[in-house]
């Protein structure tokens, strides 16, 4: 009888990402866009009980050359003065798997991790100059730190949503429920207070559609990739 391998732990920020990542031999965690909640979830795990950690989802673009839908495979993740290097074997394996689909533009580059969303282009520009990262998200640095603490291989697959030159509407700070689902009350409440956001919301919806289309093309037969 062949022993069952522990699952791959996939860390996401929103429920839609978690649904895409779901598969055999996978355990997904969704932070609901709250880094503090993600740290608490990981801290409460009695033991890693996984064979690799993957940060998976969308990200904000920092490199001006990247467009919505472009995929960033992290070579490393930086946050403040800390740095975590991605597992080179996983990085190569994921890159080969993604190269099979000619529709996907894939780059290998650093990611930046933040605890507060970068909602304007000027903040993104500062982060790009500081870290030299291609994109930024709010989960990868926490997932990378968890993997390093437990001696587990780490990888990050992040798809650019909002490009470097574009900010985010204020409603993004209240758009998610704790389980990562969209909070309609939060979105419409913010729109009622600041109706001028509607133009940026429409643009963000288009960017997100491109990003999730690419995310859905990522081959998620995790077991062979992380054997």
């Amino acid at each position: 009888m062949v022993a069952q391998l522990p699952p791959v732990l996939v860390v996401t920020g929103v429920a839609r990402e978690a649904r895409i990542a779901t598969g055999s031999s996978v355990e997904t965690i969704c932070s609901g866009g709250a880094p503090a909640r993600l740290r608490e979830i990981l801290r409460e795990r009695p033991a890693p009980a996984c064979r690799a950690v993957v940060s998976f989802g969308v990200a904000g673009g920092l490199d001006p050359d990247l467009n919505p839908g472009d995929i960033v495979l992290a070579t490393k993740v930086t946050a403040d003065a800390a740095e975590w290097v991605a597992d080179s074997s996983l990085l190569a394996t994921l890159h080969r798997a993604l190269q099979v689909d000619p529709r996907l533009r894939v780059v290998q580059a650093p990611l930046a991790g933040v605890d507060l969303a970068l909602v304007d282009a000027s903040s993104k520009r500062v982060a790009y100059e500081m870290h030299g990262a291609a994109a930024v998200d709010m989960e990868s640095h926490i997932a990378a730190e968890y993997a390093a603490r437990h001696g587990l291989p780490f990888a990050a697959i992040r798809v650019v949503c909002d490009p470097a030159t574009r900010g985010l509407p204020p409603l993004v700070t209240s758009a998610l429920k704790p389980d990562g689902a969209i909070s309609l009350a939060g979105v419409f409440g913010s729109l009622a207070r600041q109706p001028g956001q509607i133009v940026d919301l429409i643009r963000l919806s288009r960017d997100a559609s491109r990003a999730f289309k690419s995310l859905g093309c990522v081959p998620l037969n995790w077991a062979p990739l992380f054997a």
Side-chain angles (χ1 to χ4, degrees):
M1 182 176 179
V2 178
Q4 177 103 13
L5 288 171
V8 174
L9 182 65
V10 180
V11 177
T12 68
V14 303
R16 187 175 178 183
E17 296 165 346
R19 287 195 298 271
I20 293 172
T22 299
S24 61
S25 197
V26 169
E27 178 186 352
T28 58
I29 289 178
C30 182
S31 71
R37 184 181 300 118
L38 178 57
R39 288 190 176 93
E40 184 66 22
I41 292 170
L42 292 174
R43 189 161 47 240
E44 290 180 351
R45 291 174 67 88
C50 58
R51 65 183 188 273
V53 180
V54 179
S55 173
F56 179 81
V58 299
L62 297 182
D63 184 341
D65 289 335
L66 296 181
N67 299 311
D70 290 344
I71 298 176
V72 178
L73 289 180
T75 53
K76 64 180 180 179
V77 178
T78 60
D80 298 323
E83 178 179 295
W84 300 270
V85 177
D87 183 89
S88 58
S89 178
L90 292 185
L91 181 62
T93 300
L94 288 167
H95 193 253
R96 284 195 300 271
L98 289 166
Q99 288 297 311
V100 171
D101 192 333
R103 297 171 298 174
L104 303 177
R105 182 189 180 196
V106 183
V107 299
Q108 296 187 37
L111 282 175
V114 295
D115 279 13
L116 294 174
L118 303 184
V119 296
D120 57 79
S122 60
S123 297
K124 292 181 178 182
R125 185 167 58 252
V126 170
Y128 183 52
E129 292 169 354
M130 182 180 299
H131 298 285
V136 60
D137 69 81
M138 298 170 68
E139 296 84 35
S140 290
H141 60 308
I142 301 171
E145 192 278 331
Y146 178 80
R149 187 164 70 246
H150 293 285
L152 295 165
F154 168 79
I157 308 168
R158 288 283 166 167
V159 180
V160 173
C161 180
D162 47 299
T165 55
R166 194 171 298 158
L168 295 169
L171 61 81
V172 299
T173 60
S174 57
L176 292 179
K177 298 178 183 178
D179 65 357
I182 298 297
S183 169
L184 294 180
V187 170
F188 288 115
S190 183
L191 282 173
R193 292 187 296 272
Q194 296 175 269
Q197 298 179 83
I198 189 66
V199 174
D200 289 335
L201 177 59
I202 292 171
R203 188 178 294 123
L204 177 59
S205 296
R206 291 172 179 164
D207 290 342
S209 178
R210 295 188 185 99
F212 277 102
K213 183 177 180 180
S214 290
L215 200 65
C217 292
V218 174
L220 293 179
N221 189 6
W222 297 102
L225 293 177
F226 296 90

